[in-house]
Every structure is written in structure tokens, then in C-alpha cells.
Amino acid sequence: MLSLQTIREHTDEVRNAVNQRHTEAPIEQIIELDAERSPLLTEVETMRADRNRAGKLIGAAKDSAERQRLIDEQRSVASKLDDLEKRLTDLDSALNKLLLEVPNLFHEDVPLGVEENSTVVLIGNGATGEEQRIDPPVPISEWPAIEDTASVKPHWDLGETLGIIDFKRSAKLSGAHLPMLLGDGARLQRALISWMLDQHRKRGYQEVYPPAMVTRDALVGTGQLPKFADTMFETTNGRWLIPTAEVPVTNMYRDEILESSDLPIHHAAYSPCFRNEQFSAGSSSRGVKRLYQFDKVEMVRFERPDDSWEALDQLLDDALKLLRELKLSYRVLRLATGDLTFASAMTYDIETWAPGDQEWLEVSSVSNFLDFQARRANLRFRTEDGDIEYLHTLNGSGFALPRLLATILEQYQLNDGSVEVPLPLRPYLGGQERIDPA
RNA sequence: GGAGAGGUGGCCGAGUGGUUGAAGGCGCCUGUCUCGAAAACAGGUAGACGAGAGUCUCGUGGGUUCGAAUCCCACCCUCUCCGCCA
């Protein structure tokens, strides 16, 4: 969250950020309550100081008449202090509630506008290995459509003919949007998970296998709650199913003060993710593109504030390294303000090309949250000078498995209907080179 | 799920209504001593808000009281035993 101080001192900037995100936040209410709170706080603190002073005198009083006189005196102010304290508590909790609904500020390089204003900043060709930085970035609305004449099947057809993705049978047990992987499909996913975790580990990301159920507080910490409760599943025992491993992992160091020498901390976590998607029939949710449950490998970084922007670039590159090794075609978007998530100050989306479906699939989202989550989750560290500061958090997927799997199936499809196994994954599949129809 | 024990500062641990934000020890930092180190001795050593005075924090939230680490209630967490389970 933003500090009260930020909202108080940079009100216009905050208002502007909220508007550019095309959302709403109770800024005016916050300003109003804050104006009432400040003088009240001073008054309450002065009265408490009096009370504490009197308490010491009462404790030390030898003469019982004098002691009784002091007690009577305090008795007469106690109820007034009580009233004022109640009002202060009410204001504080109201303010805290409102502050949780204010989105983060964003970096000046974030393009303004809605989704179509997001810009393409990088594009990579899987076949040739060429990578091109797009400078200046081009809005996706002006980005030329890909002329991909490859006549290949979309992954949902391929998955069925190869017998590796089953939509029909899983519907019997779970309903729509919860497909199952079979045989080489399940094995390919497992290979991907292992390979990705191994790659991240090599680059210094310590592996974590987090709980998939978390408390409400954890979700408040990362910013999903209180605003986005309807996008998740609450369990009957008061926990919530995680929408991403970002939630448990970012909350790991909650209420701790890390030493400067501990930073940076890099984790990679494999977990299932659960999202209460509002589906409408159509191409955007076909196949495995949008599901109630999917697996994902997520990278989470805890950084010193000065390092977080450089860390964002590294994080993006750490994700892209995997796509380069898999020889997949991809592009990187810098999301526009209207498409940014609540907590993010800047987000890159990585999309891979799905030739069967003729569309780009979002397989990763890489964000810098600055101290926004750190304030909510109380993530702090001690600087070299001994000061205590909020650290910065970042995360990026590497990668969401269903869509990555879909892209691989479509990009690695051969003329005879089989699918080649990407080179780096073969050691994880006992050297297997192809997936043939079952 | 049942029965019991317990949650105090970086750690251990005292404190059961009043100059206690908290004794003592360990650890850590600084100084004296030393060629240097160790030992010894002396001093220092939690966080939040605030310009500051000051206020708040002894698992969390309520309550009693002029006053709560200390009394009462609820909840959370940890440990032991039983039951159940992968």
C-alpha cells in the first residue's frame, strides 16, 4: 500500500495514478479522515502522557489521602480519554481499510491507456534465435498481424488426437475448464517443471514448495485482498486457495527484519494455482488457455530498494532464457496503466506464439511492486547504516504450464501429426524425441 | 477431535496490579588494557508513529481498573499424550 504520508503529500499524483489505471480509490475519504485523525491523535497522546505521569505519582504516593486525591482526579478524566481513544481506533481502522484499496503508483515509462496501448518492447524468433529490441516500443494495436501460413492444429485438437489432453473424461469428474493430462502429456508437463526449476536453481533461485492454502492476511499482503475476493476460492476452514505461488512466497518473511547481507533473496516455486475465472464461451478460453486450476513455476525476488529496477530486467531475462533454450517464438509487452495489476508499478508480459491457434499466449507476467507489497506484508531489512526500511518485491512466472505446453505442442508439431520433444526436455523424458499418437 | 503445558527483547529467562519497555545471563557493538588477540573491567545494544515533547507495543483482539506483561473472556500459534489419517 501507499503510506498515508504519500497520499497526504502527493495527493494529485496519487489521484492521477488511480485515474490512469481506470479504476477508483477512496482518496478523498482518506484525506478527510486523516484531517480528523491528526489533531485527535495529538490530544489523545497528551492525555495519555498526563495519565502515565499521574500513575507514577500514585504508585509513589506515601500519604493515603494524597493518593486518593490523585486517583479521584484521574477517575474524572478517564471516561473522556476513553471516548477519544475509541474515536481514534475507529478512525485508524477505517483509514487502514481504505488504504488497502489504493493501487500502487506506476513508473513513468509505463504507457498510458487501456490494453491496446500496451507496447511491444522485444520480439524473439524461436526458429532463428534472433531477438530484436523494439525501440521505440510499438503499441500492440499497431503491431502487424503475424503471417504464419503454417497449417498446424491447435493444441486442443492435437491434445486429443495424441491422447495427451483429455477434456471429455475430466468433465465427468470436474466439469468444464478442468482438463486432465494423460501419458506423454502429463510426462511432458512434469519434465517442464523439473527443467525450469533446475534452470532457476542454477541462476541462484532457491527452490520452495509452498502451501497452496493461505490465510486472508497473506492475500492482503500481496494485494489480492480485499478488492479481488471474487477471483479466488475460499475454503470451508477459512483458508484460501492460492491464485499464484507469489502469495505464499512473498509472505515468507512477513513481520521479519532481514539483515542487509541477506539481500537479495531469490526463490523459485512450483505450485498449483486456483482462479475463480468468470468464463464466457469463446476462443479466449478454448483448450487449456484459461482454467480454474493450473500449475506454474514462479520466481520471487526480495531486493534492496535501489536495485529493484535492475532486478526487474534480470528477472525478465531469467524468464526469457528458458524460452530461448526451448526455441520458442515470443514477444514481450510492457503493460499499459489500464492493464497493470493493482500492486504493480511496472509489468512485462511475455507471450509465446501459438501457430495452431494463430494467437499470442500470455505465459508470464513479470512485475516490480516496489515497496507496495512490503508495506502490506511488513517486509523489512536493516540497511548498512542500521536504519530499517521496507524492501522491494518482484515476481515473474517462469512459466504457466498449460499455456507453455500448448505453445510447445503447436510450435513443435510435425507434418505427420506427431510432436517433437524440445531438446532440453529430452533428458527428463528418458531421451524420448517425439510424442506419437497413442 | 479429546486431555494437558506453554507463548516476555537477537536468544535463554525473571517478573503475578503502580516510578517495569521490562531484572539477570548469553550473544553482539564500543572503550580501557595489549605489539596484537584472548581474558578482565566499563559503557552500549527492540520496533512503530512523531520535527520534538511524547505515545504505543510483553502471541492477537476485547474487558475490568485511576492504572494491566501481571486479573477476566475469546481467538491464534507451539509442545506432550490419546484418537484419526497420506
Side-chain angles (χ1 to χ4, degrees), chain A residues 187 190-192 194-196 198-199 424-431:
Chain A
R187 293 177 67 230
R190 184 156 55 84
L192 274 166
S194 291
W195 176 71
M196 292 194 290
D198 286 349
Q199 294 297 304
L425 301 181
R426 292 182 190 175
Y428 292 81
L429 289 169

Side-chain angles (χ1 to χ4, degrees), chain A residues 113-321:
Chain A
V114 295
E115 194 181 343
E116 293 76 42
N117 299 91
S118 295
T119 54
V120 180
V121 296
L122 190 75
I123 184 151
N125 183 312
T128 64
E130 284 174 69
E131 189 169 272
Q132 191 190 345
R133 196 160 286 279
I134 311 299
D135 198 18
V138 176
I140 49 175
S141 54
E142 294 165 27
W143 192 254
I146 284 213
E147 293 178 34
D148 190 337
T149 54
S151 63
V152 296
K153 290 181 186 168
H155 67 273
W156 52 88
D157 282 349
L158 199 55
E160 291 212 303
T161 55
L162 290 175
I164 58 173
I165 310 177
D166 190 327
F167 297 95
K168 290 207 179 76
R169 288 201 173 113
S170 67
K172 291 192 291 189
L173 26 139
S174 304
H177 309 296
L178 288 160
M180 61 173 42
L181 299 176
L182 290 175
D184 284 347
R187 293 177 67 230
L188 187 59
Q189 168 158 305
R190 184 156 55 84
L192 274 166
I193 294 164
S194 291
W195 176 71
M196 292 194 290
L197 285 170
D198 286 349
Q199 294 297 304
H200 295 321
R201 196 171 77 89
K202 262 189 355 203
R203 298 186 177 108
Y205 292 82
Q206 189 196 31
E207 188 171 335
V208 190
Y209 180 77
M213 292 166 98
V214 294
T215 60
R216 201 197 129 75
D217 285 346
L219 286 157
V220 171
T222 35
Q224 282 81 8
L225 287 179
K227 278 199 88 174
F228 308 102
D230 58 355
T231 65
M232 295 177 291
F233 298 105
E234 187 175 7
T235 66
T236 52
N237 70 159
R239 304 322 204 282
W240 295 69
L241 298 182
I242 57 171
T244 159
E246 162 195 353
V247 179
V249 177
T250 304
N251 279 281
M252 277 173 69
Y253 304 105
R254 205 187 169 83
D255 298 325
E256 291 184 31
I257 297 170
L258 300 170
E259 293 307 319
S260 184
S261 57
D262 294 335
L263 296 177
I265 296 174
H266 298 170
H267 287 300
Y270 157 67
S271 83
C273 303
F274 301 89
R275 298 192 181 175
N276 193 2
E277 301 279 359
Q278 303 305 311
F279 289 101
S280 57
S283 68
S284 66
S285 60
R286 259 229 55 208
V288 300
K289 286 186 277 185
R290 279 177 82 203
L291 306 170
Y292 287 123
Q293 177 194 337
F294 62 96
D295 282 12
K296 182 159 60 63
V297 172
E298 184 79 6
M299 293 173 277
V300 177
R301 299 176 62 132
F302 302 84
E303 302 280 346
R304 292 188 194 85
D306 289 345
D307 300 336
S308 72
W309 289 111
E310 196 189 330
L312 180 66
D313 290 338
Q314 288 171 8
L315 184 54
L316 174 63
D317 198 61
D318 285 337
L320 291 176
K321 278 174 186 139

